[in-house]
Amino acid sequence: MNCANAEKKNPRPLWTDAAGKTVKVIDQRLLPHEYVIAELKNLDDIIRAIKEMYVRGAPLIGATAACGVCLIAVHAPEQNAENYLKEECARLRASRPTAVNLAWAVDRMLPHLLAEKNKEKRIAAAWEEAETIIELEAENCRKIGEYGLPLIREISKKKGGKTVNLLTHCNAGWLACIEWGTATAPMYAAHMAGIDIHVWVDETRPLNQGARLTAWELGKAGIKHTVITDNAGGHLMQHGMVDMVITGTDRSTYTGDVANKIGTYLKALAAKDNNIPFYVALPSTTFDRTLRDGVREIPIEERDPDEIRFIQGYEKGSIKSVLVPPEDSPAGNYAFDVTPARLVSGFITERGICRAEEKDIRRLFPDQ
Amino acid sequence: MNCANAEKKNPRPLWTDAAGKTVKVIDQRLLPHEYVIAELKNLDDIIRAIKEMYVRGAPLIGATAACGVCLIAVHAPEQNAENYLKEECARLRASRPTAVNLAWAVDRMLPHLLAEKNKEKRIAAAWEEAETIIELEAENCRKIGEYGLPLIREISKKKGGKTVNLLTHCNAGWLACIEWGTATAPMYAAHMAGIDIHVWVDETRPLNQGARLTAWELGKAGIKHTVITDNAGGHLMQHGMVDMVITGTDRSTYTGDVANKIGTYLKALAAKDNNIPFYVALPSTTFDRTLRDGVREIPIEERDPDEIRFIQGYEKGSIKSVLVPPEDSPAGNYAFDVTPARLVSGFITERGICRAEEKDIRRLFPDQ
């Protein structure tokens, strides 16, 4: 595989060198203030990039994990590699708990490793499968844009062409995926179709993926947007300033429950309270078919409290990290929450739109 | 009046010098990292302190405004002062729109200024009235603690003495009032009564009054607390980790609608969705008897977007301000939202507890 960024029509957050020995990713921790490419040479690098969130977002975590499996193959012993391959894959699979694409990608890659005894052939088979996964995710997102576009067009028509105000939480853009993004795909599609849109961007504490990444993406694409605190969405919805909410998801059950960045549930409640459509955009790779009760069963990652206590930003030419609360006040860092299906208007998938309920999801995905 | 801080049993965020020429306040913008006293010598200083939020919180804004009226009297011309007094009071009254205590305090002070033609006597009358207001607010808060305590005690009993988990948004502590605070008064009372409590402190973006001020207050009082993002409360409530929410308010209607720091509405929705009591603690001075529909009628202040774009914290021995989003991304800074009465379990006031509805509020306050 050679996914060098420059060869692609659209920007991508991940690519590989021609030799298939290293994976390159945008270090998203530093955006928008510094654009740094990180080179990942082995599984430890891959795991660090996932854990410390150089890369984040369900589809991109899946794609990075697929590349990680390739690097496992690269560094495997020549002989009797089976245990090594299994153990390293298990280690990779455990690096973050909530996004289901991570486990999905590893589970899809592993049989390709085990099927091939010859090391060189195994490496080639791994890269081939990784490329398939990566191109699948890019294409999934493109289709999500295609299927989401009519929802926005409809609102635009109803408003007589006046600006359609969308709200999104966190970053489910191309930085979180491969191309187009999930939540942003319908926005990009609408913008390219000449529909007048404006996006309220939740800053998305603690790591500010909205303020840092979504605002950066939308700005680069020339899409009107305004950064707001995570607290503001309810007020805007009460006052008719939001026409539709679109978010991504890290894992959704087949019963329609949606795990996404912490705070998504609060926006869904406000949307419901104000009769505003709340859509979740996802490729089918983000569905978890094994769980039925998302609130009870989806594991919610707790991360380092210092991600809350220290806020990173730009000052006098460099990135600094400032302490906000008193030095001795503890903090609790829950990274995701689960929005129950009853609050979700629908899913936008690569096969079209469905209601957040098992029957309708299985209508679109009878084969999975 | 001489409210020198040292003479008071409990810490206060505002006091005056013995000569009645200057007002001193804690500059709350710098807490918890620097404890700086600001000296306010004239109305411009007072207005700056209110607008730029050296002082904030409905009761404290009211108290500061009362002192501001005294400084107007101090600087009034010897003769024909009436127009000067009225115009300066009007300027003070307009310095922030949402907290009703500001207008309330100015309107209560002004007649005392106008009633007295002799300048020295007028100044004395003004300080006397300001002191009455300040001591009233301190006593109101003490009583709010007294009336709120049984609510917490009840939960503690039901839980067999296990930790009672409270959640609060923003800072409605003694820093926002004169003593005790509003939302924190029942917490302080419970802690002093030996009840085991723990407080989830919403950091409260954009100005982080929760992380900076509430965490500081609770830490000083030895009350267990954990700083969380504003996004986290819904998740905690879904998982039984919150027993009760208590917030303050900047203005509440007699029909029970509650204006408070932006994001309060989202917490009220989550509390309702999870059957968790959501109480609002306020002195009767924070009721606005002129409005009936809080969502439509209470003016919501929009503040400088840079309060969102730049986050202030401590780094290497000094307070720094770091830019989070891209330099050219706009931000929108809505400072308050309104929680409809239907989401409020009750008000905790200086005369006891009532439901968030006109009939029950008028039962407690038939005279107002």
Side-chain angles (χ1 to χ4, degrees):
Chain A
M1 182 172 76
N2 179 355
C3 293
N5 228 10
E7 295 174 19
K8 299 290 170 184
K9 199 173 65 184
N10 297 309
R12 291 186 164 193
L14 168 142
W15 62 98
T16 67
D17 65 343
K21 293 278 169 62
T22 60
V23 177
K24 293 190 178 177
V25 298
I26 301 173
D27 184 348
Q28 300 189 25
R29 301 171 307 166
L30 308 175
L31 287 176
H33 305 297
E34 290 176 12
Y35 183 90
V36 171
I37 306 301
E39 206 173 47
L40 314 176
K41 296 181 178 172
N42 51 46
L43 183 61
D44 286 337
D45 288 350
I46 292 276
I47 288 177
R48 187 184 322 109
I50 291 174
K51 266 189 198 282
E52 296 181 11
M53 297 174 67
Y54 298 44
V55 294
R56 16 71 51 207
L60 180 58
I61 290 175
T64 309
C67 293
V69 174
C70 297
L71 295 188
I72 292 173
V74 168
H75 294 281
E78 293 285 341
Q79 304 296 326
N80 301 318
E82 193 173 317
N83 278 347
Y84 175 90
L85 296 170
K86 283 183 182 169
E87 281 164 19
E88 291 292 86
C89 279
R91 191 156 72 89
L92 171 57
R93 202 177 185 280
S95 55
R96 286 192 77 190
T98 303
V100 76
N101 299 56
L102 171 58
W104 174 86
V106 174
D107 292 348
R108 179 166 161 161
M109 292 289 296
L110 183 57
H112 292 267
L113 296 196
L114 299 178
E116 190 57 70
K117 298 296 170 203
N118 173 279
K119 182 169 171 173
E120 289 313 309
K121 285 186 185 170
R122 185 193 296 133
I123 294 171
W127 281 119
E128 194 181 331
E129 186 62 13
E131 183 160 14
T132 303
I133 289 176
I134 288 169
E135 296 308 320
L136 171 76
E137 291 294 22
E139 180 60 9
N140 281 345
C141 287
R142 195 188 61 73
K143 286 183 184 160
I144 287 169
E146 211 170 284
Y147 285 114
L149 171 59
L151 294 171
I152 299 175
R153 196 192 299 277
E154 192 60 31
I155 297 169
S156 171
K157 272 189 195 160
K158 272 191 194 158
K159 293 184 80 173
K162 274 193 199 149
T163 309
V164 178
N165 288 297
L166 305 166
L167 184 145
T168 193
H169 191 67
C170 200
N171 172 264
W174 62 261
L175 283 167
C177 302
I178 299 298
E179 289 181 6
W180 306 109
T182 52
T184 56
M187 300 175 189
Y188 288 128
H191 181 65
M192 288 190 296
I195 299 171
D196 182 11
I197 65 167
H198 164 261
V199 184
W200 297 107
V201 178
D202 276 3
E203 59 180 5
T204 319
R205 291 280 297 140
L207 292 179
N208 299 313
Q209 291 95 333
R212 294 191 301 109
L213 307 179
T214 303
W216 183 74
E217 272 197 34
L218 296 177
K220 276 194 163 302
I223 295 178
K224 286 186 289 185
H225 64 281
T226 305
V227 176
I228 50 173
T229 62
D230 302 311
N231 285 323
H235 170 73
L236 298 176
M237 292 185 209
Q238 282 179 317
H239 291 273
M241 293 157 84
V242 178
D243 296 304
M244 180 182 179
V245 182
I246 317 180
T247 75
T249 167
D250 297 84
R251 181 189 307 217
S252 287
T253 65
Y254 251 45
T255 52
D257 296 337
V258 174
N260 192 40
K261 178 58 28 101
I262 190 86
T264 302
Y265 167 51
L266 297 172
K267 291 304 132 60
L269 284 166
K272 188 79 168 182
D273 201 46
N274 294 283
N275 292 311
I276 291 163
F278 181 94
Y279 278 90
V280 175
L282 78 170
S284 57
T285 51
T286 305
F287 277 120
D288 183 332
R289 285 166 291 158
T290 67
L291 307 181
R292 298 200 61 82
D293 181 340
V295 175
R296 299 287 146 237
E297 295 179 301
I298 296 176
I300 300 298
E301 179 178 9
E302 282 188 52
R303 295 181 58 84
D304 187 343
D306 279 354
E307 290 184 349
I308 290 180
R309 300 173 68 242
F310 292 87
I311 300 183
Q312 193 178 278
Y314 205 62
E315 196 240 3
K316 290 187 185 156
S318 68
I319 290 176
K320 296 195 172 80
S321 192
V322 298
L323 174 70
V324 174
E327 193 139 28
D328 51 0
S329 281
N333 188 1
Y334 304 87
F336 303 92
D337 64 19
V338 177
T339 299
R342 65 186 151 85
L343 302 176
V344 179
S345 307
F347 287 123
I348 310 172
T349 79
E350 76 270 21
R351 293 198 190 162
I353 290 171
C354 62
R355 291 190 301 281
E357 56 177 50
E358 186 164 8
K359 204 178 143 188
D360 213 36
I361 296 167
R362 289 202 186 275
R363 174 181 61 80
L364 284 189
F365 299 98
D367 46 336
Q368 287 183 9
Chain B
M1 181 173 73
N2 179 354
C3 293
N5 228 10
E7 295 175 20
K8 299 289 171 186
K9 199 175 60 183
N10 297 310
R12 290 186 166 195
L14 167 145
W15 62 98
T16 67
D17 66 342
K21 293 277 169 63
T22 61
V23 179
K24 292 189 178 177
V25 297
I26 301 173
D27 184 347
Q28 300 188 25
R29 300 171 307 167
L30 308 176
L31 286 177
H33 306 295
E34 291 177 10
Y35 184 92
V36 171
I37 306 301
E39 204 174 49
L40 314 176
K41 296 180 175 171
N42 52 46
L43 183 60
D44 286 336
D45 289 349
I46 292 276
I47 288 176
R48 187 182 324 109
I50 291 174
K51 265 188 199 281
E52 296 180 12
M53 298 175 65
Y54 299 45
V55 294
R56 15 70 53 206
L60 180 58
I61 290 175
T64 309
C67 293
V69 174
C70 297
L71 295 187
I72 293 172
V74 168
H75 295 279
E78 292 285 340
Q79 304 296 326
N80 301 318
E82 194 173 315
N83 278 347
Y84 175 90
L85 296 171
K86 283 184 183 168
E87 282 164 16
E88 290 293 86
C89 279
R91 191 156 71 88
L92 171 57
R93 202 177 185 280
S95 54
R96 284 193 76 189
T98 304
V100 76
N101 300 55
L102 171 58
W104 173 86
V106 174
D107 292 349
R108 180 166 160 162
M109 292 290 296
L110 184 58
H112 292 267
L113 296 196
L114 299 177
E116 190 57 70
K117 298 296 168 204
N118 174 279
K119 181 169 171 172
E120 288 314 309
K121 285 187 184 168
R122 184 193 297 130
I123 293 171
W127 281 118
E128 194 179 332
E129 187 62 12
E131 182 159 15
T132 304
I133 288 175
I134 288 169
E135 295 309 320
L136 171 76
E137 291 293 22
E139 180 60 8
N140 281 346
C141 287
R142 195 189 60 74
K143 286 183 183 159
I144 287 170
E146 211 169 283
Y147 285 112
L149 171 59
L151 294 172
I152 298 175
R153 196 192 298 279
E154 192 60 33
I155 296 170
S156 172
K157 272 190 197 160
K158 273 192 195 159
K159 293 185 80 172
K162 275 193 199 150
T163 309
V164 178
N165 288 299
L166 305 165
L167 184 145
T168 193
H169 191 68
C170 199
N171 172 265
W174 63 261
L175 283 167
C177 303
I178 299 299
E179 288 179 6
W180 307 109
T182 52
T184 57
M187 300 176 190
Y188 288 129
H191 181 66
M192 290 190 297
I195 299 172
D196 182 12
I197 64 167
H198 164 261
V199 184
W200 297 107
V201 178
D202 276 2
E203 59 179 5
T204 318
R205 290 280 298 142
L207 293 178
N208 299 314
Q209 292 96 332
R212 294 191 301 108
L213 307 179
T214 303
W216 183 74
E217 273 197 32
L218 296 178
K220 274 193 163 308
I223 295 177
K224 285 185 288 184
H225 63 283
T226 305
V227 176
I228 50 174
T229 62
D230 302 312
N231 285 324
H235 170 73
L236 298 175
M237 293 185 209
Q238 282 179 317
H239 291 272
M241 294 157 82
V242 178
D243 296 304
M244 180 183 180
V245 181
I246 317 179
T247 75
T249 166
D250 298 84
R251 181 190 306 219
S252 287
T253 65
Y254 251 45
T255 53
D257 297 336
V258 173
N260 193 41
K261 177 62 25 125
I262 189 86
T264 302
Y265 167 49
L266 297 173
K267 290 306 132 60
L269 284 167
K272 188 78 168 183
D273 201 45
N274 293 283
N275 292 310
I276 291 163
F278 182 94
Y279 278 91
V280 175
L282 77 172
S284 57
T285 51
T286 305
F287 277 121
D288 182 333
R289 285 165 293 157
T290 68
L291 306 182
R292 298 199 62 80
D293 181 340
V295 175
R296 300 286 147 237
E297 296 179 302
I298 296 176
I300 300 299
E301 180 178 9
E302 282 187 53
R303 294 181 59 84
D304 187 341
D306 279 353
E307 290 184 350
I308 289 181
R309 300 173 68 241
F310 292 87
I311 300 183
Q312 194 177 279
Y314 205 61
E315 197 241 3
K316 290 187 185 159
S318 69
I319 290 176
K320 296 195 171 81
S321 194
V322 297
L323 174 69
V324 175
E327 193 139 28
D328 52 359
S329 281
N333 188 1
Y334 303 88
F336 303 93
D337 64 21
V338 176
T339 299
R342 65 186 151 86
L343 302 176
V344 179
S345 307
F347 288 123
I348 310 172
T349 80
E350 75 271 21
R351 291 196 190 162
I353 289 169
C354 63
R355 292 189 301 280
E357 56 177 52
E358 185 164 10
K359 203 177 146 190
D360 213 39
I361 297 166
R362 289 200 186 277
R363 174 182 62 80
L364 284 189
F365 300 99
D367 47 335
Q368 287 183 10

